[in-house]
């Protein structure tokens, strides 16, 4: 009997997780059963309890249940505590449920390994101050950048986020005051989904800047197009999706799959 896993969210029909995790499992010769399941708001705790009681081994959790997953977990990893949210729940040998957040690790691995962009010693600008940015801060800081500046449409939210991590190299402002120049810019806002670009001042992007948009699609996002027009190299977040899934697969199965063929296949799929 195959071990059972699933991704849960609302909505969930768009999720690529079943394809990604099934490909990982087939690749390492360790077949699993993996579903995508719709849960109604307010029902996550009951669903998760029944899932694990019924023999489920692990869950990937997407919006809007990452805070519910954090509260459901028996124990949290350091990166989950820092993120304040959980996207991976895994049954442990003692019956406890581990809560982890693999988003930041996925982002860093895509940037440093797949794209070959250095983070160490670089001036980093994070756009946005929501859960997506909070989730990647700890792994980014572990890469030892020269500095990290958080810019948000509402400056106070960026300032609160920077203060929460209490790190001397973190600073914060509104978009207009993110003067830079920055070597690496990571867009953690949803602006690209509405065809908008955060209003950064002229000169915010340093020569040779790398621009990463967490959003992905069949074509370059509006933010990526804007960055390339400023002379930056730009990439979308599809690699982050695959790499955070690989990190979750390590939590689930204890081995790391090869992400390159899976990422290439997904890229071809979304372009079709």
């Amino acid at each position: 009997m195959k071990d059972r896993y699933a991704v849960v969210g609302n909505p969930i029909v768009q999720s690529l997780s079943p394809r990604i995790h099934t490909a990982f499992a087939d690749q390492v010769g360790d077949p699993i059963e993996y579903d995508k399941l719709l849960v109604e708001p307010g029902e996550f705790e009951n669903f998760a309890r029944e899932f694990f009681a019924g023999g489920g081994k692990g869950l990937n959790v997407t919006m809007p249940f990452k805070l519910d997953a954090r509260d459901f977990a028996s124990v949290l990893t350091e990166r989950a505590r820092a993120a304040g949210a959980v996207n991976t729940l895994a049954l442990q040998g003692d019956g406890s449920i581990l809560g982890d957040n693999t988003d930041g690790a996925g982002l860093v691995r895509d940037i440093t390994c797949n794209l070959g962009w250095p983070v160490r010693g670089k001036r980093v600008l994070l756009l946005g101050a929501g859960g997506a940015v909070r989730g990647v801060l700890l792994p980014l800081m572990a890469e030892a950048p020269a500095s990290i500046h958080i810019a948000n449409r509402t400056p106070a939210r960026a300032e609160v986020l920077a203060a929460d991590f209490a790190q001397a190299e973190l600073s914060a402002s509104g978009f207009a005051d993110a003067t830079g120049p920055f070597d690496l810019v990571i867009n953690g806002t949803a602006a690209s989904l509405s065809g908008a670009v955060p209003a950064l001042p002229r000169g915010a992007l340093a020569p040779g800047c790398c621009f990463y948009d967490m959003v992905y699609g069949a074509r370059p996002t509006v933010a990526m197009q804007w960055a390339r027009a400023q002379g930056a190299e730009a990439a979308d977040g599809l690699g982050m999706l695959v790499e955070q899934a690989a990190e979750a697969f390590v939590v689930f199965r204890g081995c790391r799959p090869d992400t390159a063929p899976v990422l290439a296949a997904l890229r071809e799929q979304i372009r079709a």
Side-chain angles (χ1 to χ4, degrees), residues 65-258:
F65 300 118
K66 292 185 179 183
L67 298 184
D68 299 274
R70 177 199 63 191
D71 295 340
F72 182 80
S74 309
V75 61
L76 299 176
T77 63
E78 180 184 6
R79 59 193 183 186
R81 285 193 298 271
V86 160
N87 73 346
T88 303
L89 291 170
L91 180 66
Q92 305 298 283
D94 61 1
S96 64
I97 304 296
L98 176 70
D100 199 359
N101 189 303
T102 64
D103 286 334
L107 170 79
V108 168
R109 192 170 179 88
D110 189 37
I111 286 176
T112 60
C113 297
N114 296 340
L115 297 171
W117 296 352
V119 177
R120 182 175 298 274
K122 300 300 182 180
R123 299 161 295 184
V124 178
L125 172 62
L126 281 170
L127 302 178
V133 169
R134 178 180 287 273
V136 304
L137 265 171
L138 190 67
L140 270 176
M141 290 191 295
E143 292 296 304
S147 63
I148 298 178
H149 186 82
I150 304 168
N152 191 55
R153 182 175 58 84
T154 306
R157 290 193 63 192
E159 292 164 2
V160 168
L161 181 54
D164 283 349
F165 282 78
Q167 296 289 328
E169 71 270 18
L170 260 65
S171 56
S173 73
F175 292 139
D177 294 320
T179 54
F182 298 99
D183 306 303
L184 171 63
V185 179
I186 300 170
N187 184 19
T189 74
S192 288
L193 296 176
S194 58
V197 178
L200 297 178
R202 184 181 298 274
L205 277 57
C209 177
C210 297
F211 185 97
Y212 191 93
D213 197 340
M214 291 189 192
V215 174
Y216 65 89
R219 293 172 296 277
T221 68
V222 171
M224 288 172 61
Q225 294 174 44
W226 171 84
R228 287 173 177 169
Q230 315 307 308
E233 186 175 354
D236 70 11
L238 185 63
M240 175 183 175
L241 174 71
V242 174
E243 293 296 344
Q244 67 80 25
E247 192 74 15
F249 193 83
V250 174
V251 175
F252 289 155
R253 309 301 292 177
C255 61
R256 181 174 294 279
D258 181 4

